[in-house]
Amino acid sequence: MKKEYCGLFGIYGHEEAARMTYFGLYALQHRGQESAGIVTWDGEKLREQRGMGLVADVFEEQHLGHQLKGDVAIGHIRYSTTGASLIRNAQPFMVRYKGMHMAVAHNGNLVNTMEMRRELESTGSLFQTTMDSEIIMHLIAKYLNGSTIEDAVAKACREIKGAFSLLLQIDNKLIAIRDPWGFRPLALGRVGTSYVLASETCAFDLLEAEYMRCVRPGEMLVVEEGGLHSIQYAEPAMSASCAFELIYFARPDSIVFDEEVYAARKRMGAILAREAPVKADYVMPFPDSGMYAAVGYSQESGLPYENAMIRNHYVGRTFIQPTQGMRDFAARVKLNPVKSMIKGKKIVIVEDSIVRGTTIKTRVKSLREMGAKEIHMRVSCPPIKHPCYYGIDFSSKGELIAANHAIFDIAKFIGLDSLHYLSIDGLKQALGRNDGYCLACFDGAYPVLPGQGCGKMCLECTDE
Amino acid sequence: MKKEYCGLFGIYGHEEAARMTYFGLYALQHRGQESAGIVTWDGEKLREQRGMGLVADVFEEQHLGHQLKGDVAIGHIRYSTTGASLIRNAQPFMVRYKGMHMAVAHNGNLVNTMEMRRELESTGSLFQTTMDSEIIMHLIAKYLNGSTIEDAVAKACREIKGAFSLLLQIDNKLIAIRDPWGFRPLALGRVGTSYVLASETCAFDLLEAEYMRCVRPGEMLVVEEGGLHSIQYAEPAMSASCAFELIYFARPDSIVFDEEVYAARKRMGAILAREAPVKADYVMPFPDSGMYAAVGYSQESGLPYENAMIRNHYVGRTFIQPTQGMRDFAARVKLNPVKSMIKGKKIVIVEDSIVRGTTIKTRVKSLREMGAKEIHMRVSCPPIKHPCYYGIDFSSKGELIAANHAIFDIAKFIGLDSLHYLSIDGLKQALGRNDGYCLACFDGAYPVLPGQGCGKMCLECTDE
Amino acid sequence: MKKEYCGLFGIYGHEEAARMTYFGLYALQHRGQESAGIVTWDGEKLREQRGMGLVADVFEEQHLGHQLKGDVAIGHIRYSTTGASLIRNAQPFMVRYKGMHMAVAHNGNLVNTMEMRRELESTGSLFQTTMDSEIIMHLIAKYLNGSTIEDAVAKACREIKGAFSLLLQIDNKLIAIRDPWGFRPLALGRVGTSYVLASETCAFDLLEAEYMRCVRPGEMLVVEEGGLHSIQYAEPAMSASCAFELIYFARPDSIVFDEEVYAARKRMGAILAREAPVKADYVMPFPDSGMYAAVGYSQESGLPYENAMIRNHYVGRTFIQPTQGMRDFAARVKLNPVKSMIKGKKIVIVEDSIVRGTTIKTRVKSLREMGAKEIHMRVSCPPIKHPCYYGIDFSSKGELIAANHAIFDIAKFIGLDSLHYLSIDGLKQALGRNDGYCLACFDGAYPVLPGQGCGKMCLECTDE
Amino acid sequence: MKKEYCGLFGIYGHEEAARMTYFGLYALQHRGQESAGIVTWDGEKLREQRGMGLVADVFEEQHLGHQLKGDVAIGHIRYSTTGASLIRNAQPFMVRYKGMHMAVAHNGNLVNTMEMRRELESTGSLFQTTMDSEIIMHLIAKYLNGSTIEDAVAKACREIKGAFSLLLQIDNKLIAIRDPWGFRPLALGRVGTSYVLASETCAFDLLEAEYMRCVRPGEMLVVEEGGLHSIQYAEPAMSASCAFELIYFARPDSIVFDEEVYAARKRMGAILAREAPVKADYVMPFPDSGMYAAVGYSQESGLPYENAMIRNHYVGRTFIQPTQGMRDFAARVKLNPVKSMIKGKKIVIVEDSIVRGTTIKTRVKSLREMGAKEIHMRVSCPPIKHPCYYGIDFSSKGELIAANHAIFDIAKFIGLDSLHYLSIDGLKQALGRNDGYCLACFDGAYPVLPGQGCGKMCLECTDE
């Protein structure tokens, strides 16, 4: 199954549009580290710079100061779970059609890709990539004959199914879209006289932009000379915002879906403390993932909070192979426990999720060897039992430990004295709204099902 | 004034000596990010690899697996405050003399460099670098005529004054030395049948080595075939271990000078809470520096602990110039406050030190703009008023804010509602031993004074 | 006007197809140094590696040994005269269409691009690049509905006008095509049981392949399991092979259009000696361009041949700006005359072409300053007066010195005692066949005229 | 045996001294491609930039425009035959001694290194490298006590034996020295009001400097404020200029030892034609090595000259491993014969030397396979039978084919119809002076013998 994480940023009417987009993407870097791209409109045509790697690696001063001219820009960062990382799949994706210049940046995953593609091929469309974005562009082009841009985009967006937050640049128009379910976030803001759009508000903070509101499910915002107008291109479906953005994926200083991430994570920890209290010496996270829920757990339970696992801040992605016999090296090099804090202690560890459990098992074993008396784990979300079709990468169902094993067995596998997951009700309570979230990875209730062809399509896609 | 931070690692009698040293340096990377080097003894001669940059950049598999043969190795990482970073100044420093192969790795700063150098030049020594290490090597060579290696090294070490933790490799001997004051740390450990030496014990943890003890002030440890023996080459002076290693410089999971760093920092925070309590909504650190003292402050004061400043984990050393008008960008890009945690709140910030105060001022201003009601700062060490001659880089006295300004004025400059520093007595109490630490940067009581020529020498040095 | 130089290589049925293609492109590197690419068919899908730079820079062992699996491959190298060099324009160009995987490598320039593109857009085609290759692919896809691959390709090739030597890979078929005029070369060879195709036979020499014959104008060769078959997809037009391949562009050890390049160049020099003899001390080339015609001139005239201009073999593409006042540096750094061979001498210089004349003027001035008594230049082709629409890059007509100036004036501008160009008749005689060559750049007789829209199209293209 | 090739360049009194030195080294690049370095005197201290690789790789604009300030500079390029290439061995070599700043650049090889080093170590000198240059510096420092700089340098140069052309920079003085035998070249020139020094005059040509004369054997030229003065620091020994500079090593557009290289090579070819005529269709070189002697042979013999071996100008140092079964690939990829020029032809090949003969054997085999009727080789120097102790790298004696085999056997091994070497008398005649050259590699008559210790020293050296 092909999955992508992505971050989007767009700006309209700023003389340093490319530079602002660069910093917007910089703030969103946690949403994708594989490729980055910026497209600007210079008044006559689109200009682009895309590349593999981090934002800081892909762009140089000459790109921002010289090449990417124009006061409108959209940017994209991407992480793909498919084996090969290809520059041709870096976004924004650009085409020309009948003198128009069009670019798209897409966050999310469509579920009717295969049907769409077959249909388009039957009328002569030729595909150069396996990206959903290319399908969207072909659809828009198809509907552009005799339609306004807005109508063509609306028609195209009504045909595709699944998760899509989009930024489109069509000549000098900047268009922002969220799918009718509202799976992926997209926020609108303002800096000076310019409008900005971003996956998360932490990008606004860096640019000293003011957060206005979310783009709404089924809404299309068109920014052009003369201002901004909103078109409800489709009825909002039952709201299905991705709970995992709040649990794990978004930055804790962001607002997504109009919810404060930091506060939501503390609530998850607090509710977890009520659902599964434990007598222990202290609470700690494995940094950075559980840091905010752990604070919530500590405050609700009254147990002291400790930072007793120390990060090596210089661990990069690669290092040389360790000496034979150095066990569990990759785990240990990143986090080292403070020995004196472990020996003889009863410890509660708050984590934000367990996917396969193998790294956690290694860390727990290491704590045991240092003499921990009791180790209890509290997880700030329910067990993940089902794959996500909308753009979050859990390994395939076979690898999700909670899909196949009872909690008791997981605790045993990891070597814990006790293990508790936040309940689905607890999560709903923490999320702040009782309805409106997609919890399919926990409960299997998919808001929109993938098309029949999807399985086959995905096989084809992943072979890239 | 020339200053260097450094980290040392050595190992004797391990078939993967270079690889172990690589990982030892990896764990010590926080002690110096400018250059790294490893020297091994292959049974006939020394082999070296040195380079500019992080450990992960300098070494490749071919170095560890092929080039750096031998079962004895010493390694060095370095950060220099002098303007230019030169590969020729990367250590370990190697020479040949009468068929002997010698290398030295040095942590600390000598204070009689200039006298030593003049004296050596008057008898014909030629200098290629401005490093203290070259002086040490010339001295050892001078005394080697007719002496044993141990005697020559001892004589040399009795002539030099100041801070020196040394690892020497002379043919197949590995020699570890601390100066008579014990300024800089150096720890002895064991892994399997091999002895290891490191500036901090976090290097032992990564290698699953067992910590044995500190090398003592005035002690020389000689590791060679047949084992380890200790020589007290000089009377220990009044113990003057660097307090700043515990306050700030060492990793919190390390033991230095036989003290647990994590526990000491928590004690600093706790004593600070007693010395300067405040009514507030919560305590938070500016990560990562104040994270451990803040936990101590929180636990002692009963105020909740929060992680309300969020790090961007993708901030590298360089980024492209921000848009004009983006104020305080460099500070904001690294840490972003969680807005909802700031508005209307009374906040205690625990920091481990204030040097110039400008970055902190920026952060505080930003918190004010977000609506913080009160901002109190508690610093987990006394005001730094005096320069360090032994190897910790405070900017020259003119730039130490506490050297020239009253605490009240500093608070005003930064924009704080209140500011308290840990008292010298409080620090002594937290350090766990009432005597035995160099506190010269706080109280000006220098254990050993720099020689007359030092000022001149330093001018010469810094022109490199 | 957009111009491209290119080189093509293809191989069918070789277990190291990618590696053979790598070396084939390596031998053709003089045909394009800007980008390189290889596509292989692994039995299920196409695999590609493309990049900017020389063949040696673009490919690494992992590409050849691992990634580019399969026993069929096509490769492409390219030099474009458009300002920007874009990775997206690197070939081979790949698409998928209805489950088929297709790639094309193209050498030459179409003259009806604009009409084709407009027509295709009107039926819904979307373009991502400005390359002729994308148009060819859209045409093939259009005709694939209900046709065999061979028929679709033939139909597409009958619609496009201009210069095109093509290598197509459609699933497991390798198809080689030359346009009906035969503008650009394409040769067929054999190595072991594999067929190979290359722009020039020097690629065959390196691979120890045997040259069989040229692909004929209007011919399509299909290589697939079971062997090779030839289809005459269009009537050959009046043969219009590019004379400039023999004069300048092809390597002297190649055979193109069934002619030996080395022998042809010597004949040009020899005929030039008969057309424009001169009393002089010796003949020399400016290496390497005139080296072969100069030998012909020397042998026919009886004047000694000298290598009196010395190349600096270490001159790369970039060097640091010279000191102010170092005149004509870029010219001098590449070639330095042997002073003693110049002073007081009457010299004949044989060159293969004069485009703008400025570098030659610099060299001649330098020879004068060293005391040359007489300097005569003989050019081994007629004056270039007209632009090429088929893929050779002369600067636009305004910059072609011979388009705007009499030979006498050119001689004066350069500072020559005499200047003679080979006559058109002399060139025809040297080419070995009196008809069958495109001499449009000399005589303006274009075999196929560019479409009306071409000028506009080109403007659009060059803005990339 | 340690061998080095090197090139030297120096300039005094030029405001762009570093930039001029950069281009001087650029012109001398053929003398060493392994490392490059420039040292300038900025009025107070020396500044340096050294690195591994070509001149164009080591220096950037910032070095020349900013870092390497000053109007005096010396530069060095180096190729070493020892296995490892170490940055620490890159020159110029710098030291400080009693407030003086000294740098040296050295071309040649000393023969009493070991004795000198032992003697210096016995009085306390410490060595960091294995370079002769470090010994020279220690000697100068030793004699500086109570002497003028000129006297100290003179004394040092009278103690060392062997080949040394030196450029020294001692504070603001630039000193140029040749050994009493005059082994290696060093030329003096002038550009504007500045003096320049270079290994070969081709560096002067590029800088538009005027050649004045050679530095004489045993001469020391001191350039300082107020001008140039010459000191004959030692009696010239029997002149022993290296014949191989003229035969092979120097660029053909240079003057070395006051002889024109191009003319000398043509004379070698002409005398060879008289000594060993042959009935053949034509003469050709294997470019570029034999190109100038081949012209001489052609003109004297009346046989036509051909350029029938074509160089691939894009062959870099590395390429990917060829397909198994591609024989002699490394040889073929560099030079490809023009097939039609080979078949049925009687060919004379003029080469400038045969060292091991294996590449030549490969080329000859290839010509045979293409149908060459007869292949005769003429070598423009006598058989190389003895190693060089003065800085030219022939492989050790065991690998010199002519040291161990009769000419008849070499011809057979290579596959030639005939083989003739230039006679020693013929060479002397071609060199233009009957005496004054070192011909030790041909006749074993060494002008100065290596010291006893040299063998041992060399073992030690080569182990780096």
Side-chain angles (χ1 to χ4, degrees), chain B residues 349-360:
Chain B
I349 297 161
V350 177
E351 258 293 20
D352 58 10
S353 55
I354 300 177
V355 180
R356 288 189 303 156
T358 46
T359 300
I360 293 174

Side-chain angles (χ1 to χ4, degrees), chain A residues 262 266 295 299, chain B residues 281-285 304-309 341:
Chain A
Y262 188 92
K266 274 185 67 183
V295 163
Q299 294 179 7
Chain B
D281 293 308
Y282 64 85
V283 180
M284 75 171 180
Y305 172 94
E306 294 282 353
N307 289 311
M309 296 288 287
M341 289 299 298

Side-chain angles (χ1 to χ4, degrees), chain A residues 14 16 19-20 22-23 26-27 29-30 33 54 56 59-61 64 202 205-209 251-253 260 262-263 266 288 291-292 295 299 304-327 329 332-333 336-341 369-370, chain B residues 14 16 19-20 22-23 26-27 29-30 33 54 56 59-61 64 202 205-209 251-253 260 262-263 266 288 291-292 295 299 304-327 329 332-333 336-341 369-370:
Chain A
H14 194 289
E16 298 231 46
R19 197 177 300 268
M20 294 292 274
Y22 170 83
F23 287 109
Y26 203 97
Q29 186 77 75
H30 62 289
Q33 300 87 41
L54 298 178
F59 302 98
E60 296 167 16
E61 176 56 36
L64 305 189
C202 63
D205 291 353
L206 184 62
L207 299 170
E208 301 182 285
R251 252 174 63 165
D253 48 341
E260 306 264 359
Y262 188 92
K266 274 185 67 183
D288 284 7
M291 279 171 71
Y292 313 100
V295 163
Q299 294 179 7
Y305 172 93
E306 295 280 353
N307 288 311
M309 296 288 287
I310 307 302
R311 274 175 79 123
N312 180 344
H313 283 290
Y314 298 97
V315 170
R317 298 182 171 208
T318 57
F319 39 80
I320 286 175
Q321 215 41 35
T323 307
Q324 233 175 354
M326 285 167 81
R327 301 161 308 137
F329 187 80
R332 281 189 298 116
V333 76
N336 190 38
V338 178
K339 283 186 173 178
S340 58
M341 290 299 297
E369 290 172 359
M370 290 182 185
Chain B
H14 194 289
E16 298 232 46
R19 197 176 301 268
M20 294 291 274
Y22 171 82
F23 286 110
Y26 203 98
Q29 186 78 75
H30 62 290
Q33 300 87 43
L54 298 178
F59 302 98
E60 294 168 15
E61 177 55 36
L64 305 190
C202 65
D205 290 354
L206 184 61
L207 299 171
E208 301 182 286
R251 251 174 65 166
D253 48 340
E260 305 265 358
Y262 187 93
K266 274 185 67 183
D288 282 5
M291 279 171 72
Y292 313 100
V295 162
Q299 293 178 7
Y305 172 94
E306 294 282 353
N307 289 311
M309 296 288 287
I310 308 301
R311 275 176 79 122
N312 181 342
H313 283 291
Y314 298 97
V315 171
R317 297 182 171 209
T318 58
F319 39 79
I320 286 175
Q321 215 40 35
T323 307
Q324 233 174 354
M326 284 168 81
R327 300 163 307 137
F329 186 81
R332 281 188 300 115
V333 76
N336 190 37
V338 178
K339 282 185 173 177
S340 59
M341 289 299 298
E369 290 171 359
M370 289 180 186

Side-chain angles (χ1 to χ4, degrees), chain C residues 19 23 205-206 208 253 260 262 266 288 299 305-307 313 320-321 327 329 332 336 340, chain D residues 19 23 205-206 208 253 260 262 266 288 299 305-307 313 320-321 327 329 332 336 340:
Chain C
R19 196 176 300 268
F23 286 110
D205 291 354
L206 183 62
E208 301 183 284
D253 48 340
E260 306 265 358
Y262 186 93
K266 274 185 67 182
D288 282 7
Q299 293 179 6
Y305 172 94
E306 295 282 351
N307 288 311
H313 282 291
I320 287 176
Q321 215 42 34
R327 300 163 307 137
F329 187 79
R332 281 188 300 116
N336 190 39
S340 59
Chain D
R19 196 176 300 269
F23 286 110
D205 292 354
L206 184 61
E208 302 183 284
D253 47 341
E260 305 266 357
Y262 187 92
K266 275 185 66 184
D288 283 6
Q299 293 180 6
Y305 173 94
E306 295 282 352
N307 288 311
H313 282 290
I320 287 175
Q321 215 41 34
R327 300 162 307 137
F329 186 80
R332 281 188 300 116
N336 190 38
S340 59

Side-chain angles (χ1 to χ4, degrees), chain B residues 412-427:
Chain B
K412 208 170 143 193
F413 169 74
I414 295 179
L416 297 166
D417 292 289
S418 77
L419 167 64
H420 283 273
Y421 285 88
L422 184 61
S423 68
I424 289 187
D425 279 346
L427 175 62

